[in-house]
Amino acid sequence: NDDTYFEFTPDNYKDIDKILKKYPKNYKQSGTIPLLMLAQKQNNNFLTLAAMNKVAKILEVPPISVYEVASFYAMFNRTKVGKYHLQICGTTPCQLCGAKDIMKACEDHLHIKMGQTTADGLFTLEEVECLGACVNAPMLQVNNEWVYEDLTPEIMKSMIDTWKKGGTIKPGPQKGGRKNSEGPLGRTTLLKIEPRVKIRDMPEAVKNWEDEIKKKANEAAEKKKKAEDDARRKAEERIQNLKKVE
Amino acid sequence: IIKWRPISYGRLFATITPDSKKQHHGGLSDQDRIFTNLYCDQDPFINGALKRGDWHRTKDILCCPQEFILDEIKKSGLRGRGGAGFASGVKYSFMPKKSDGRPSYLVVNADESEPATCKDREIIRHDPHKLLEGALIVGYAMRAKAAYIYIRGEFWDEANRLNKAIDEAYEKGFIGKNSCGSGFPFDIYVHSGAGAYICGEETALLESIEGKTGKPRMKPPFPAGIGLYGCPTTVTNVETVAVCPSILKRGGNWFASFGRVNNRGVKLYCISGHVNNPCTVEEEMSIPLRELVERHAGGVRGGWDNLLGIIPGGSSTPIIPKSVCDTVLMDFDDLKDAGTSLGTAGVIVLDKSTDVIDDILRLAKFYRHESCGQCTPCREGTGWMEDMLERFKIGNADYAEIDMLYQLSKQIEGHTICALGDAAAWPVQGLIKNFRHVMEERIDKYKAEHPVTNVPRVLSHLPKKGSHQIYLLNQRKQFHNYE
């Protein structure tokens, strides 16, 4: 692993310049994650030690900082993975909707266990944590890119067969033809596309707000003056009462 | 001497006095909906956005004084949509009014890793210009120099769309050196994460943007004092920021007309699990949970009586049993009174066919995997809780160990640097409080199948079945609201 050589392509160097422009010049370390993702993508989804060293040299940080980041985050593959890295979500919402059946279907179809790669290097199975599409459970992600939702074991098997032959599949909900996150039985909201809503006049709103503030300030000043007057009157009455007693 | 007062938890810790004329909330009309392109019926990018009314007369808003914008947000009663529910107007007003040489930053938290939450994904991929306009307005209100949108690494497609939307906005001059022609310079950048749930926590997010491992910092100092690169920063959720342009354009009073007192506005709910119609809907706050599930999610599989429990706010909130689900409203205060919290409004519905211990075990595995490892209670405690729950799943335990698990979760909660310890402890506490009978039945069943004789027990006092309250009294710990 130490002896392998890694160098970014010239196109990737242009991307690196674009990425580093986003951050202040003296905080180049911010580019660690984007550059590591770029290196991993260039290298067939495999992040080598040489790549990490190269990134450290570009960012002018000690290599240990880059090693720390690469081992902390879950998406960096520090071992070789197959051409299709099937990341199946197994957290509770997906598990309730049958993620375990999907995983078992994959294992049976590919004759490997979770976490292993097939002999021809095409598929790697991995169970990952919540991928953020819980409404379309169960679902999986391939190569950290496209997401395939609404799966069943049969659909899973047909998808694997398509990939084995070299075909592509349209990402998104695979079953039932539902549109994104509306319910599979049909949507209950946004039934009609509404025209643009009327917006209030901003300068008028600001004027109202300023008037309100002035009014509140005036009221507070009046209240304070009234309190002072009351206090003064009470003091005078007390003095008069004392005089009467005398 | 132990004082044992019978407490009725319903009324004593109630945070809202009942209104004299109780309104029924729910049934939002399409005209009042903010995210009209939630299911991508129209073009999500600039052409569709302009038709939907984004970027329309934003210059007028940018010419208003900053105090006006902050007051409008305070008047609207918007509370943070990222889980904590802190009043957003107050939070944004913590930023310094006069810079002491350091620039201010706005950071938008689009790291949506909480299980059962998928609302920000819909906003980013179908309505990104609402988010960009909101970031500009809020950034102007807090005198920020730039906004960083931290999006999780798994959202590759969504990040591409967001980058495309930002390029379009720069092209049209809506953001940049002279945003919307008002003279206020503002930049928006997208930073992608790489797969860590802990980076959704605000200080861990700042560490991640700075390029280090995403381990949270100690608070104080708070991000509004020292944040990104040491400059004042505010970290907000995508939904909170994306709702702000509509608040300013239609008025804070309009937004405050939905929901109950202190729980104003509209919210995106993601209903998943054992329902007939899992979907994401935009509904009013304080809608009854039963109405939300039955009207929008097609009801529980097998009818409402087939319901076992609901996790109302993403995986960090305790599970509530059916008896509570019948009457509870979906807002911050009512769920807090019921012993759970609204969180991110990711509703997970469990019906009677599921093994609830198995589900909570999977959540414990999730938290153990996502723990950053900085502080001992979380790093070790999540592992112990998972191991104990594995044994509880088969029933190989004692009744006393249920109380041990509860005490362990109490020792994790509140003693960690960030809130992941609390988030890991609460589901376990919810399981023990509400589904203790399931655990005890499992233990009975295992003991019946594997009878043991002459095994010395560790504890000298074995509490009887159902006597956990006496055990807790003996511990003399402080009683939480959740009890």
Side-chain angles (χ1 to χ4, degrees):
Chain A
N1 213 354
D2 287 324
D3 301 337
T4 52
Y5 175 70
F6 183 84
E7 182 62 80
F8 282 110
T9 61
D11 289 333
N12 276 349
Y13 270 115
K14 290 195 201 136
D15 285 335
I16 289 175
D17 285 333
K18 247 197 281 180
I19 290 171
L20 289 177
K21 270 204 201 115
K22 289 197 273 192
Y23 308 105
K25 288 203 185 60
N26 50 339
Y27 285 102
K28 270 201 198 161
Q29 199 184 2
S30 298
T32 315
I33 296 180
L35 290 193
L36 284 173
M37 294 295 280
L38 209 60
Q40 183 172 283
K41 209 162 165 187
Q42 180 189 310
N43 202 16
N44 289 331
N45 229 358
F46 174 37
L47 190 65
T48 55
L49 201 63
M52 296 187 221
N53 290 332
K54 183 81 200 166
V55 168
K57 214 158 79 171
I58 295 178
L59 296 175
E60 294 157 18
V61 293
I64 184 63
S65 315
V66 179
Y67 301 157
E68 264 184 346
V69 170
S71 58
F72 182 82
Y73 293 100
M75 279 171 74
F76 293 125
N77 302 317
R78 284 166 291 127
T79 51
K80 257 200 151 131
V81 293
K83 186 170 163 212
Y84 295 102
H85 185 190
L86 304 180
Q87 297 157 310
I88 307 177
C89 174
T91 323
T92 301
C94 287
Q95 188 186 306
L96 288 175
C97 295
K100 286 211 170 127
D101 299 330
I102 308 282
M103 290 193 252
K104 192 154 181 310
C106 289
E107 285 182 349
D108 293 337
H109 207 66
L110 293 169
H111 310 293
I112 52 173
K113 294 274 169 223
M114 297 299 293
Q116 294 175 342
T117 317
T118 51
D120 51 359
L122 263 186
F123 294 101
T124 310
L125 285 179
E126 191 184 345
E127 181 187 352
V128 286
E129 305 295 341
C130 184
L131 286 169
C134 315
V135 164
N136 302 44
M139 40 84 69
L140 74 89
Q141 192 174 26
V142 175
N143 289 341
N144 296 329
E145 289 178 1
W146 293 111
V147 162
Y148 302 94
E149 305 157 350
D150 276 336
L151 305 171
T152 61
E154 294 82 26
I155 294 180
M156 192 69 231
K157 289 189 180 141
S158 68
M159 279 165 67
I160 292 179
D161 290 332
T162 321
W163 278 321
K164 269 194 188 153
K165 289 184 206 140
T168 55
I169 308 175
K170 187 165 174 290
Q174 297 295 308
K175 176 184 88 159
R178 75 175 190 175
K179 205 174 181 186
N180 298 316
S181 65
E182 67 175 19
L185 299 179
R187 61 168 72 174
T188 50
T189 62
L190 294 179
L191 299 162
K192 206 171 53 153
I193 312 230
E194 295 288 325
R196 202 156 73 177
V197 182
K198 190 173 185 313
I199 303 175
R200 61 180 186 166
D201 190 23
M202 291 315 292
E204 185 190 317
V206 175
K207 198 152 129 356
N208 286 344
W209 170 72
E210 283 174 357
D211 289 342
E212 257 183 47
I213 289 187
K214 275 189 209 146
K215 203 167 73 169
K216 276 196 189 136
N218 282 345
E219 279 175 12
E222 273 177 36
K223 219 171 154 187
K224 196 171 160 198
K225 192 156 160 273
K226 201 164 146 222
E228 279 177 20
D229 286 340
D230 280 339
R232 208 180 303 134
R233 201 165 20 93
K234 279 198 182 125
E236 283 174 10
E237 278 178 24
R238 216 178 297 136
I239 294 172
Q240 281 180 3
N241 284 344
L242 284 172
K243 279 192 189 156
K244 274 189 203 162
V245 163
E246 281 175 19
Chain B
I1 300 164
I2 297 160
K3 290 187 195 152
W4 180 235
R5 307 186 297 263
I7 304 173
S8 70
Y9 295 104
R11 285 289 97 201
L12 189 62
F13 298 121
T15 41
I16 289 193
T17 52
D19 299 334
S20 51
K21 35 173 183 162
K22 188 159 167 68
Q23 254 180 324
H24 176 79
H25 301 279
L28 195 66
S29 72
D30 276 347
Q31 268 173 336
D32 285 328
R33 291 220 149 82
I34 297 179
F35 298 107
T36 41
N37 202 28
L38 195 62
Y39 307 124
C40 204
D41 299 313
Q42 301 168 335
D43 175 34
F45 297 114
I46 193 76
N47 295 325
L50 289 172
K51 278 200 202 117
R52 279 191 294 276
D54 302 331
W55 300 117
H56 178 63
R57 285 171 40 189
T58 318
K59 183 175 167 187
D60 291 348
I61 302 182
L62 293 179
C63 294
C64 301
Q66 283 112 341
E67 301 307 325
F68 167 71
I69 299 181
L70 291 175
D71 271 348
E72 276 294 312
I73 300 180
K74 277 186 204 167
K75 205 163 39 162
S76 72
L78 176 67
R79 281 173 78 158
R81 301 292 196 234
F86 188 75
S88 299
V90 177
K91 185 171 173 180
Y92 297 162
S93 61
F94 287 155
M95 292 293 271
K97 309 277 182 286
K98 249 185 128 184
S99 144
D100 57 355
R102 301 178 293 171
S104 305
Y105 290 108
L106 167 71
V107 173
V108 179
N109 186 350
D111 181 271
E112 192 180 41
S113 308
E114 175 94 0
T117 310
C118 41
K119 59 177 175 69
D120 293 339
R121 184 176 174 235
E122 307 302 330
I123 300 177
I124 293 174
R125 60 180 180 161
H126 296 152
D127 236 341
H129 284 279
K130 284 219 164 62
L131 170 62
L132 299 180
E133 196 186 353
L136 172 63
I137 292 175
V138 172
Y140 168 74
M142 54 172 68
R143 300 166 180 85
K145 177 177 148 194
Y148 285 92
I149 304 181
Y150 183 96
I151 193 168
R152 65 181 293 195
E154 285 92 339
F155 282 172
W156 175 80
D157 183 39
E158 284 80 4
N160 287 348
R161 291 194 190 207
L162 194 56
N163 277 319
K164 185 173 166 192
I166 289 184
D167 291 336
E168 287 174 347
Y170 267 112
E171 226 181 316
K172 293 249 174 174
F174 291 137
I175 43 180
K177 288 211 178 50
N178 188 11
S179 50
C180 295
S182 69
F184 175 67
F186 197 71
D187 292 308
I188 303 184
Y189 306 115
V190 171
H191 177 100
S192 293
Y197 167 71
I198 186 64
C199 290
E201 204 267 331
E202 61 175 357
T203 46
L205 198 142
L206 299 175
E207 292 278 304
S208 186
I209 295 184
E210 290 183 9
K212 309 178 205 157
T213 56
K215 297 190 171 168
R217 305 175 189 163
M218 284 296 295
K219 288 197 282 198
F222 290 97
I226 299 182
L228 185 63
Y229 309 127
C231 305
T233 326
T234 304
V235 181
T236 41
N237 187 256
V238 162
E239 202 187 340
T240 323
V241 157
V243 151
C244 283
S246 304
I247 291 181
L248 286 170
K249 287 181 184 170
R250 298 205 221 179
N253 291 328
W254 164 81
F255 196 76
S257 65
F258 306 117
R260 295 196 301 173
V261 180
N262 288 344
N263 300 289
R264 302 287 189 193
V266 295
K267 181 90 181 69
L268 283 169
Y269 295 98
C270 312
I271 309 152
S272 57
H274 292 152
V275 285
N276 294 321
N277 199 23
C279 60
T280 310
V281 289
E282 180 176 3
E283 261 289 350
E284 199 181 344
M285 291 276 282
S286 313
I287 181 174
L289 177 56
R290 182 166 181 169
E291 186 184 329
L292 180 72
V293 169
E294 297 211 316
R295 180 148 33 120
H296 294 290
V300 185
R301 247 178 16 187
W304 183 257
D305 291 326
N306 199 22
L307 177 66
L308 180 69
I310 290 187
I311 302 180
S315 66
S316 314
T317 51
I319 185 171
I320 41 178
K322 176 167 178 297
S323 53
V324 178
C325 299
D326 285 334
T327 49
V328 79
L329 307 177
M330 289 297 281
D331 62 10
F332 291 104
D333 291 321
D334 206 35
L335 283 170
K336 198 164 86 151
D337 289 342
T340 176
S341 76
L342 181 63
T344 53
V347 179
I348 311 179
V349 176
L350 307 170
D351 73 358
K352 294 210 164 110
S353 71
T354 182
D355 179 10
V356 67
I357 304 180
D358 192 24
D359 300 327
I360 304 290
L361 165 67
R362 187 60 185 81
L363 286 180
K365 277 194 188 151
F366 171 77
Y367 284 114
R368 181 203 207 160
H369 184 265
E370 302 288 354
S371 168
C372 73
Q374 233 188 148
C375 54
T376 313
C378 177
R379 182 182 64 236
E380 308 297 328
T382 45
W384 290 340
M385 286 204 295
E386 186 205 329
D387 292 337
M388 286 180 85
L389 279 169
E390 287 264 12
R391 281 192 299 119
F392 278 118
K393 184 176 155 188
I394 39 177
N396 182 11
D398 283 329
Y399 297 143
E401 291 183 348
I402 303 180
D403 299 311
M404 283 164 72
L405 184 59
Y406 187 79
Q407 198 188 11
L408 172 66
S409 70
K410 278 287 184 210
Q411 284 177 342
I412 298 175
E413 182 187 352
H415 297 129
T416 52
I417 294 179
C418 75
L420 194 140
D422 305 345
W426 286 333
V428 172
Q429 287 173 4
L431 174 73
I432 293 175
K433 245 192 306 178
N434 293 317
F435 294 99
R436 195 184 171 100
H437 57 277
V438 174
M439 297 169 89
E440 288 176 346
E441 277 165 27
R442 200 68 61 88
I443 294 174
D444 287 338
K445 200 167 129 200
Y446 184 83
K447 283 204 178 127
E449 288 168 6
H450 303 90
V452 281
T453 54
N454 286 342
V455 172
R457 288 291 174 213
V458 174
L459 299 174
S460 58
H461 61 283
L462 248 177
K464 292 197 291 288
K465 189 168 173 172
S467 65
H468 66 288
Q469 286 174 338
I470 300 175
Y471 183 80
L472 286 173
L473 276 174
N474 287 340
Q475 302 303 311
R476 284 200 197 167
K477 292 270 191 232
Q478 195 182 11
F479 278 30
H480 268 266
N481 272 355
Y482 292 123
E483 292 178 34

